[in-house]
Amino acid sequence: MSYSYQAILYSHILAGAIALILFWVPVTAKKGALNHRKFGAHYRHAMQWTIYSGVMLAGVWLFAPVAVNPNLADNPAAVANLQRFAIFLLHLAVQMYASVMMGQWALDAKQSRLSLRRVSRIAPAVLLTATSLFIGVIGIMHQHILMLVFAPLGLTLSVSQLRFIFAKQVAPKAWLIEHLGGYIGSGIAAYTAFAAFGGRTLFSDIGAWQYAFWVLPGLIGGIAISRLSRQYRTSTSNNTRQA
């Protein structure tokens, strides 16, 4: 295993651990307060390096698995499993990037969504659509539980983002829902990646129950985003009626 690979791996683990901790500060801090903004930026930066380094690692596992683990040379089935796992992690990286960056872009744009209609800001959602469909097919072919769960989640997220970008009209607080939902969504993917990567060792003795730890972040986060969306939509509707 090369020193450069080890450096990327350890920096990925460190950045990921920092992001998982920082995630809770802006989530629990008062919206708009200094801690919310400051630690939100720190979380975004840690998440970005986690994503970039994760893509590099998954790329190595996908295209040169034997180079980092020579023991796989005589085990094609293990190589195929590692490559499918790498594809899943690449999808999670796309989902994390699309989520955290749309969360920031929505905050920057607020009521004016014209800036979101640039190719560079549409591309992550389009790419997420493609990776969601791709892992969905692989998940069906190989009965890969994580892919079967996260394909529709990713597709739902990408469609929601594209709808927010191109809709003629959105609710007054839609940008806030997109901002908070994007950051929460990136945290969902980060905790899922941790459970899927580290959890394979931590939870390997509990058999099929380990899948619960992989799926729970997505289910809990999805419920949180749904409740948050309803809360702000209800608040907006009440304010409109009162006006």
Side-chain angles (χ1 to χ4, degrees), residues 10-242:
Y10 294 143
S11 67
H12 173 75
I13 294 172
L14 178 61
I18 292 172
L20 292 178
I21 295 170
L22 289 176
F23 169 76
W24 294 104
V25 179
V27 166
T28 56
K30 183 180 179 180
K31 306 301 178 285
L34 176 61
N35 285 346
H36 179 83
R37 297 194 302 269
K38 181 179 179 181
F39 283 94
H42 292 330
Y43 166 76
R44 186 176 71 255
H45 295 150
M47 183 62 73
Q48 285 173 323
W49 177 249
T50 302
I51 293 167
Y52 301 149
S53 57
V55 168
M56 287 187 279
L57 292 173
V60 173
W61 298 341
L62 183 60
F63 297 108
V66 178
V68 295
N69 190 348
N71 295 327
L72 296 177
D74 299 322
N75 193 340
V79 169
N81 286 333
L82 180 60
Q83 289 174 325
R84 282 193 292 272
F85 189 68
I87 291 171
F88 173 68
L89 291 183
L90 285 172
H91 167 76
L92 278 185
V94 173
Q95 182 172 326
M96 283 190 281
Y97 184 82
S99 296
V100 74
M101 294 313 298
M102 180 55 71
Q104 184 58 40
W105 293 335
L107 176 64
D108 295 338
K110 292 190 177 179
Q111 303 297 345
S112 177
R113 291 173 292 122
L114 289 177
S115 63
L116 301 179
R117 294 171 186 174
R118 304 172 188 167
V119 172
S120 61
R121 298 192 174 184
I122 299 170
V126 174
L127 181 59
L128 180 58
T129 301
T131 60
S132 297
L133 294 173
F134 185 57
I135 69 165
V137 172
I138 296 177
I140 293 171
M141 291 174 60
H142 297 279
Q143 292 300 295
H144 194 289
I145 294 178
L146 283 176
M147 290 185 176
L148 291 173
V149 170
F150 279 86
L153 286 177
L155 194 59
T156 300
L157 174 63
S158 63
V159 170
S160 175
Q161 290 187 354
L162 291 172
R163 184 180 300 154
F164 174 73
I165 292 172
F166 291 108
K168 292 183 179 180
Q169 288 186 326
V170 294
K173 291 289 184 69
W175 65 269
L176 181 57
I177 296 171
E178 202 68 30
H179 165 63
L180 297 176
Y183 272 70
I184 294 173
S186 67
I188 293 170
Y191 271 95
T192 300
F194 167 75
F197 183 68
R200 289 192 303 173
T201 300
L202 294 175
F203 308 128
S204 59
D205 294 333
I206 62 175
W209 283 101
Q210 64 185 297
Y211 292 122
F213 291 93
W214 299 357
V215 175
L216 276 176
L219 293 178
I220 295 172
I223 293 170
I225 293 174
S226 177
R227 293 188 64 179
L228 187 69
S229 299
R230 286 200 303 270
Q231 174 187 336
Y232 280 104
R233 287 194 184 102
T234 301
S235 175
T236 300
S237 299
N238 290 339
N239 291 338
T240 300
R241 285 196 295 269
Q242 291 173 3

